[in-house]
Amino acid sequence: MTKRGRIAAFVSVVLLVAVITWMQPRLNKMQEPFVEKRPKATHGGQFTNMLIDQSIQFFGAAALGLRQAVAGLLWIRTDEFFHRGEFETIIPLSRLVTWLDPQQIDVYSTASWHLDFNFVDSDQRSDKRLIPPAIKLMEEGIRNNPDIYDLYFDLAWTHYYWKAKDYEKALEWLKKAVQHDGRDPNTGKRIPRPGFVDRMLAHTYEKVGLFDEAEKQWRKNLAESLKRLKADPKDGSRWQEVGTCRRNLAMLCLRRAWRYGDMDAYKRGLDVLDDLVRTEPNISEKDPEQVRAYKAAKKAYEQLVATGKRPHDVSPPIDVGFSVKWRKIKPKVITIEGTLKLVPIEEYKGLAAEPYTNFWKSYEFLLPSKRPKWVDNSRVRIIFADADYNFREIKTPKKLSWEVDKTRTVLWDDTPVESGKFKIKIDMSRDPSFYPFAKEDYKLIVWFDPQEAPITVQDRIGWKGEGITDKNYLSTTFHPGYRVVVREFKLKRSDIM
Amino acid sequence: MAIWTIAKTTVGEAMRKKVLNVCLIVALAMIVLSLSFTQLGFRQDMTVVKALGLFVIMLAGFIISVLMSISLIPTEIERRTIYTILSKPVSRVEFLLGKYLGGIITLFINIALMGTVFIVTVAIKAKLTAVQLGSIHGMQVGEEVIKPQLFDPSLALGVVLIYLQFVVLAAVVMLFSTFLTPTVNFFASSAFYVVGSAANVWRTMYMNEKASVFVKVFYWFISTFVANFDRYSVQNKLIHPEEVASMPAYVAAILAYSILYCILTMLVAVLCFYRKEV
């Protein structure tokens, strides 16, 4: 090689080095959408923990393509264990899968569901000590998949709404769910989130007593579903969606009127029903009961307007005569029984809701001896736990671990009220790992919360229990904003052992 | 002309190497065998098929590129054929470039073959699932769900990126082979690949405010001058499809980066090769 050639080569090398150095930060920026979303540092992002938090990238970088394959194979094994009922093995395996492939959203949902529902005692009661890790795992899934609605919705619905019955928390996560679309698993393209997510948000607003927000959300859902119907008028499911929104919106408005005397809401509800019976194809044939109910409600409204009266189905309050007794049968086995007079069926006679619901009418023709005396299906909730256990506040652990605190005793249950009475036997003697009784002090709480009552019962007692009273056990502080009947017992270990 | 002649000969020789052929056949078999995963739902089965396929192509690509490139020059020296070639009107630059060109063409044939089998395997898997879903929910539903999977162009781009990273690695191996023995070269190239795959970690290290100047300079140097093989890894976006508008632009940028890096490496290799006593 000539001297000139060597110089030219050196100059080219220097120039190329400069160009590559210039390219690096630009390529880094371009690479951002392709970098996996991984859990953020759990200790405020301190450098000392960086290697621990990024250990997968560090050690697994060379085998990057293998990670998802291993995760997939492990998930296959997990499925086998599920069919064999070996739930204990599933959780650590699932954890490994989420670690290897943080974007497999099904794994977070399934593993959290296992934690919440499948570790059961001899009476099929799930271990409530596992709710915090289940929620923690879902939160981690959300951190790793923040741009799609799926896990937000699942956390809200499966874990807070259904399992923990913490509707306020469910609302918090549903509000986040409706800020995100879905993603087509085949193409990766953004797809609109399903309508049920937004509908669930409206239901939950109603559940927590935010009626204005619930109505607003239903109107928004209705507008969206009408837009979708306009785009595809031949799709029958679009009509169904519009009908669902209209029915729910109308019922919310009408119930606000019947229960609390809001005549403007009555009018708004009737307007929505009017749209429903006018526009829905063949509604007279498909749903004649809806048409009849609408006409009856309209007539009732006109009579109320003419007479200047306002309905108020939740008054006068019913004295529910709440009482609870508990008795130890043998060590760690107790019975709980009591009374809750909800709701005598005669209470439905003459309610403002009656022309629409026809509830009383469906029993009226029966002989009094054949007629049921009570509207059953309310449930009384029970908690037996360590004295310091706070069921209202589910604290998630700082680091995910499904190892339960083996010194903690926590039992949740509920039992139906039938003919004004309830009774349940709780046997904690067969499952010492669930109920270790390691502490000295315990509490037994038995309560009825109108928030969880069936809709028919709420038609008489209201969403928040405005229609109930009790001489001894009515509380407005146990669940702020709600009239709850509750009895709490303080127990010593010796009382139960 | 001399470059092309040397390249053609190199391809012929490389394709006859048994170890490379075995590697290719095993890889192809593994890709096709991934069809047997029918354990889970459609989505997870597809995840396994795609993840396994891409991994096998990467692994086989790595082995083929290193084992092949490592011996391109030393074999010629060992067999003394290099003297015959260089005594003809062929410069060292032409010899080196011809060998490299032959190497990357061989690599292209191997990866293109594996990539085609992989894409066809994904399509077959999708079609089989369509039939399965169709028997449950009706043919139309099956077809609709599967249609986007039948040919996913981003999978092809993914295979292109895998090829590009081994083109770069082959250049680095060629450079090392001008001054290292084949055994040392194997370990040095493998280490280079591992270090380059963790480039993002090195970048995080030099961006750390608490690090000393020496540490920062050290990691900046590594993250800037060692080929960033992590850039070629887009598997996650292919396995869990997510619409990324900039995919073709990204592949184009990576192509430019790869070309520049290869030119730089080969220039240094030429300079080293001229200093080598043959």
Side-chain angles (χ1 to χ4, degrees), chain A residues 304-364:
Chain A
L304 284 167
V305 171
T307 55
K309 285 183 185 167
R310 281 168 181 260
H312 207 250
D313 284 352
V314 294
S315 61
I318 304 166
D319 184 348
V320 295
F322 186 59
S323 72
V324 187
K325 279 190 295 188
W326 78 274
R327 191 161 59 89
K328 182 173 92 177
I329 300 175
K330 56 181 186 175
K332 299 188 193 176
V333 184
I334 60 171
T335 58
I336 300 166
E337 58 186 305
T339 55
L340 180 71
K341 293 171 181 169
L342 275 179
V343 177
I345 204 154
E346 301 278 336
E347 287 287 333
Y348 288 83
K349 205 189 309 181
L351 287 189
E354 182 57 21
Y356 189 95
T357 61
N358 264 354
F359 186 74
W360 167 248
K361 202 177 167 189
S362 60
Y363 293 104
E364 193 182 21

Side-chain angles (χ1 to χ4, degrees), chain A residues 1 17 24 28 31 33-34 36 47 50 61 64 68-69 73 75-76 101 103 106 183 185-188, chain B residues 37 39 42-44 51 145 148-149 203-204 208 224-225 230-231 233 236-237 240-243 247 250 274:
Chain A
M1 193 183 236
V17 166
Q24 295 286 13
N28 291 342
Q31 195 187 358
F34 300 94
E36 284 176 65
F47 178 70
M50 192 195 75
L64 199 66
Q68 290 88 353
L73 296 173
W75 193 228
I76 291 173
D101 189 359
Q103 285 177 276
D106 302 341
R183 187 182 296 140
N186 292 323
T187 60
Chain B
F37 292 111
Q39 225 71 4
F42 166 66
R43 197 158 79 182
Q44 278 130 12
V145 172
Q149 296 279 5
R203 199 170 75 225
T204 317
N208 171 35
T224 307
F225 296 113
D230 185 58
R231 293 227 169 92
S233 295
N236 206 56
K237 288 283 177 287
H240 300 291
E242 188 178 340
E243 202 177 25
M247 180 81 172
Y250 182 68
Y274 266 100

Side-chain angles (χ1 to χ4, degrees), chain A residues 150-184:
Chain A
D150 305 55
L151 293 179
Y152 293 101
F153 178 78
D154 202 10
L155 174 58
W157 164 240
T158 311
H159 300 277
Y160 279 120
Y161 195 103
W162 186 13
K163 188 70 189 177
K165 298 192 189 330
D166 186 340
Y167 306 109
E168 281 78 8
K169 270 279 187 193
L171 179 67
E172 199 180 291
W173 285 99
L174 280 167
K175 279 186 195 170
K176 291 177 187 170
V178 298
Q179 287 168 18
H180 302 278
D181 274 334
R183 187 182 296 140
D184 186 327

Side-chain angles (χ1 to χ4, degrees), chain B residues 186-200:
Chain B
F186 176 79
F187 289 108
S189 311
S190 303
F192 187 89
Y193 182 68
V194 172
V195 171
S197 296
N200 284 344

